[in-house]
Amino acid sequence: MNQKITLSADTKLQPKLDKKANLQEEEKEARRLAERYRCDFVDLKNFPIDPELFRTIPADLMFRYNFVPLKHINGSLLIAISDPSELLLTDELGVLLGRKLVVKVATRSQIGDILKKSESSQRVLEEATEGFTLDLIKEDESGEETISIERLTSETESPIIRLVDSTIFNALERRASDIHIETGDNEVIIKYRIDGVLLQAMQPIAKDHHSTIISRIKVMSELDISERRVPQDGRFRVRYKSRLIDFRVSIMPSIHGEDAVLRVLDKEAMSEKFSQLSLDVVGFSDTDLKKFRRYIHEPYGMVLVTGPTGSGKTTTLYAAISEIKSDEDKIITIEDPVEYQIKGITQIPVNEKKGLTFARGLRSILRHDPDKVMVGEIRDPETAQIAIQSALTGHLVFTTVHANNVVDVLGRFLNMGVEPYNFVSALNCILAQRLVRIICEHCKRPIKAAPQLLEESGLDPKVYADFTFYEGTGCLDCAGTGYRGRTAIHELLDLSDRIREMILERKPASEIKRLAHEEGMTFLRESALQNVFSGVTTLKEINKVTFIEG
């Protein structure tokens, strides 16, 4: 048995080892060529690439001559090529670019990787916006859309269709969660939400094209093109890299015209991610992870997660459910909407138009003999009462509520008219969380923080003057932002006997907070600072999402 395991592990490792050996061999060859032709060798992994410089060089030239522009030096352009022996091609390239070239040598695969990142999405999008003096054609289409580079560069498509398709394609390439189309006085601005932050996707588009862009989105979402005075909601689906991706569309009238927001719901990628999701990757500290795991394995009670919209509450709950699900238990969820599907769990979408509210759905769930229940959100006293009763009658209930921190949740429930004794008895724990952006690994560098920033962050400039912090300078991988991906920060309230008594006595929130801290609770701000000190995120980022504790 042991022998089999060893063999399978070796088999999996073999392609990785082969690839590494090939890359090392390729680097040796590139260094040899550089030495022979008296050029410098450059390792592009450690070289900061300038995204702005890329935009000034035609994409077809970079691919045809297989080079990467690095930077301007005294009127010359520094470039990296893989074969310095092709002197005629280099001379020809200098003539085409109209400037003197300084050549360095890099490996072919590193050049290829950088060109792939810089080219397909952003360049196609920019080219799609260039021809907007043309007469635009409205085209009705039905069925599934398929988006690919081949289609986006096709000359047969209407320019407006190409623009909308390119915008969607580019959003998917850049990992955007939402596309915002905002109408101004005389322009249309398109933005992407990437890692929770809005970034402008391209140069503003002339206002003349606004109605055709919105009409195209309405056609794709099967909405009423003629209705422009009331909000409309719809959805459509595209095929991208052999994957089906859903978009939820919201059209809203504003003073300058209609605005649109497209939410990306990549169910297939998320279902795959959630099938292997565990609490280890959610961002917990070791102490909080141990405590939280204990609470989700309790036979009954309520596990409450709080935070604003888009703070990863659902992901944390799914991670918890993924860890505890088994064939012996029946798990039912009620959500609004069911965004990600998990195998082996019954998931119910709220449908308020048809009368299926959280409260009504939860009542029905309890007659369905569940062991564990997840309620997407507690919004009203009725749902709160039923959820608490469920937790008291032998069910393990996972739920979320909107509040700023764990102590505010207590006040929120008590103001809903919930009986304090029942609420305190039902609660296992309260978890508050936020998301912070992670520094991009490709352009991460050490820095010393300015005294003003340290003061704004509540840190003593004298103590932290020489401390090494980190930040991202901005590169192609992170689209110049310096951040790539997000992680969660947490505060976990352990309902000890003393805290339960204080809640029943309706003690002020500040006293409960003080006692929780004495008993070892880490505040959100402290969790955020731990991530800064360990080089995961920056002070600027945590100042955006957390308050300095008094």
Side-chain angles (χ1 to χ4, degrees):
M1 191 71 178
N2 288 341
Q3 193 181 3
K4 275 187 186 174
I5 292 168
T6 312
L7 283 170
S8 65
D10 283 352
T11 311
K12 284 178 187 171
L13 283 171
Q14 197 56 48
K16 288 183 184 175
L17 293 171
D18 289 347
K19 191 178 176 187
K20 197 174 177 184
N22 290 340
L23 290 173
Q24 285 170 345
E25 196 56 45
E26 191 182 10
E27 188 177 318
K28 267 188 209 167
E29 178 61 19
R31 283 182 186 277
R32 191 184 62 75
L33 278 171
E35 197 176 326
R36 184 177 171 191
Y37 289 92
R38 294 179 184 174
C39 300
D40 291 336
F41 174 81
V42 60
D43 185 351
L44 295 180
K45 266 193 290 190
N46 303 319
F47 195 95
I49 303 292
D50 181 1
E52 288 304 316
L53 178 58
F54 261 83
R55 293 197 176 100
T56 64
I57 310 281
D60 60 329
L61 279 187
M62 290 194 280
F63 274 85
R64 199 187 321 150
Y65 291 92
N66 198 42
F67 77 95
V68 170
L70 300 177
K71 61 179 176 182
H72 288 293
I73 305 176
N74 304 327
S76 301
L77 179 66
L78 180 65
I79 65 166
I81 60 173
S82 60
D83 189 356
S85 66
E86 296 180 340
L87 300 172
L88 287 174
L89 284 179
T90 313
D91 291 344
E92 191 181 317
L93 180 60
V95 172
L96 289 170
L97 290 172
R99 62 192 98 172
K100 189 183 172 193
L101 300 181
V102 177
V103 171
K104 291 198 176 215
V105 178
T107 65
R108 187 175 289 277
S109 35
Q110 281 186 351
I111 291 171
D113 286 346
I114 286 172
L115 289 180
K116 279 178 206 162
K117 280 175 196 163
S118 70
E119 173 263 345
S120 58
S121 55
Q122 189 63 32
R123 193 54 60 99
V124 162
L125 180 57
E126 285 169 2
E127 284 168 5
T129 61
E130 278 167 15
F132 263 57
T133 51
L134 300 170
D135 292 324
L136 302 175
I137 308 153
K138 280 195 280 186
E139 196 174 293
D140 281 15
E141 288 190 11
S142 57
E144 198 180 275
E145 303 279 349
T146 301
I147 292 183
S148 66
I149 279 288
E150 291 72 29
R151 178 178 163 180
L152 298 180
T153 50
S154 153
E155 292 300 319
T156 58
E157 290 288 1
S158 144
I160 199 69
I161 291 176
R162 212 158 59 236
L163 171 69
V164 174
D165 287 359
S166 302
T167 304
I168 292 168
F169 177 84
N170 190 43
L172 296 171
E173 288 280 296
R174 290 178 63 182
R175 306 174 298 108
S177 61
D178 301 82
I179 304 167
H180 289 240
I181 298 167
E182 298 174 358
T183 318
D185 204 0
N186 49 22
E187 62 187 14
V188 178
I189 295 170
I190 298 180
K191 296 177 180 175
Y192 295 147
R193 189 176 291 283
I194 302 170
D195 293 333
V197 176
L198 281 176
L199 302 168
Q200 198 162 316
M202 62 181 97
Q203 293 301 312
I205 294 167
K207 181 75 178 280
D208 310 353
H209 310 297
H210 165 257
S211 60
T212 33
I213 291 170
I214 298 293
S215 292
R216 170 63 183 157
I217 291 166
K218 285 181 179 176
V219 166
M220 292 169 80
S221 315
E222 297 180 354
L223 299 175
D224 183 353
I225 295 178
S226 60
E227 181 55 80
R228 295 178 181 179
R229 293 156 301 175
V230 296
Q232 294 190 69
D233 293 321
R235 58 196 312 134
F236 64 89
R237 174 179 282 186
V238 301
R239 184 176 291 280
Y240 159 79
K241 293 184 178 174
S242 75
R243 212 163 68 230
L244 287 175
I245 295 171
D246 288 325
F247 286 79
R248 209 166 64 217
V249 179
S250 175
I251 311 278
M252 179 81 73
S254 74
I255 55 168
H256 297 300
E258 290 175 296
D259 283 10
V261 174
L262 286 67
R263 162 65 60 90
V264 182
L265 301 173
D266 190 352
K267 287 187 182 179
E268 286 186 35
M270 293 313 287
S271 296
E272 198 178 299
K273 178 182 160 191
F274 282 132
S275 67
Q276 298 147 10
L277 189 66
S278 75
L279 291 169
D280 295 306
V281 294
V282 175
F284 280 101
S285 67
D286 293 343
T287 320
D288 284 348
L289 180 59
K290 206 177 285 180
K291 284 183 189 172
F292 193 62
R293 276 211 169 110
R294 193 175 81 233
Y295 296 126
I296 66 169
H297 283 93
E298 298 278 353
Y300 56 85
M302 183 185 279
V303 173
L304 199 55
V305 181
T306 183
T309 305
S311 60
K313 301 187 296 291
T314 309
T315 306
T316 300
L317 286 180
Y318 278 151
I321 287 170
S322 297
E323 283 205 6
I324 61 167
K325 69 172 184 168
S326 72
D327 295 339
E328 295 171 3
D329 289 332
K330 174 140 187 168
I331 301 176
I332 307 180
T333 76
I334 180 160
E335 303 163 64
D336 183 20
V338 175
E339 290 190 6
Y340 313 116
Q341 291 153 21
I342 304 180
K343 239 181 184 174
I345 290 173
T346 306
Q347 293 174 278
I348 302 164
V350 163
N351 188 340
E352 297 204 354
K353 285 180 189 169
K354 302 285 183 188
L356 178 54
T357 59
F358 274 117
R360 191 171 173 185
L362 188 50
R363 272 203 204 92
S364 180
I365 285 171
L366 296 176
R367 292 194 288 271
H368 232 77
D369 186 30
D371 296 286
K372 295 169 177 64
V373 177
M374 178 176 133
V375 183
E377 188 188 334
I378 289 181
R379 298 174 182 166
D380 56 83
E382 193 183 358
T383 312
Q385 296 282 9
I386 303 166
I388 287 165
Q389 284 305 320
S390 312
L392 291 171
T393 52
H395 302 94
L396 183 61
V397 179
F398 294 90
T399 188
T400 74
V401 70
H402 286 294
N404 287 327
N405 55 51
V406 291
V407 180
D408 288 353
V409 174
L410 305 171
R412 183 88 197 274
F413 268 85
L414 297 176
N415 287 337
M416 280 186 191
V418 168
E419 181 61 47
Y421 183 78
N422 287 346
F423 178 53
V424 165
S425 306
L427 266 183
N428 286 358
C429 69
I430 306 172
L431 177 77
Q433 80 172 44
R434 299 283 187 284
L435 292 177
V436 292
R437 290 183 293 169
I438 299 169
I439 300 168
C440 171
E441 284 298 324
H442 291 87
C443 58
K444 187 175 182 176
R445 66 180 179 95
I447 57 152
K448 296 283 184 268
Q452 189 186 344
L453 178 60
L454 290 169
E455 278 178 22
E456 285 170 7
S457 309
L459 299 174
D460 186 344
K462 290 174 187 170
V463 177
Y464 291 96
D466 295 324
F467 188 85
T468 304
F469 294 94
Y470 290 87
E471 71 171 16
T473 52
C475 64
L476 288 170
D477 273 278
C478 59
T481 61
Y483 299 96
R484 186 176 169 85
R486 289 188 290 175
T487 188
I489 53 171
H490 302 94
E491 66 182 20
L492 182 64
L493 180 64
D494 189 349
L495 271 290
S496 67
D497 291 341
R498 284 174 70 197
I499 286 175
R500 287 178 201 270
E501 283 163 17
M502 287 181 88
I503 297 168
L504 289 173
E505 290 165 12
R506 293 184 181 263
K507 294 281 187 190
S510 55
E511 284 187 33
I512 297 172
K513 212 171 180 180
R514 198 178 306 117
L515 176 61
H517 198 246
E518 283 169 17
E519 291 185 352
M521 183 178 88
T522 306
F523 289 148
L524 277 171
R525 182 70 184 183
E526 292 171 335
S527 176
L529 283 169
Q530 284 169 12
N531 277 290
V532 171
F533 296 147
S534 55
V536 173
T537 190
T538 64
L539 286 171
K540 283 178 190 167
E541 178 66 11
I542 69 161
N543 289 346
K544 277 168 56 183
V545 295
T546 61
F547 295 109
I548 297 167
E549 298 290 341

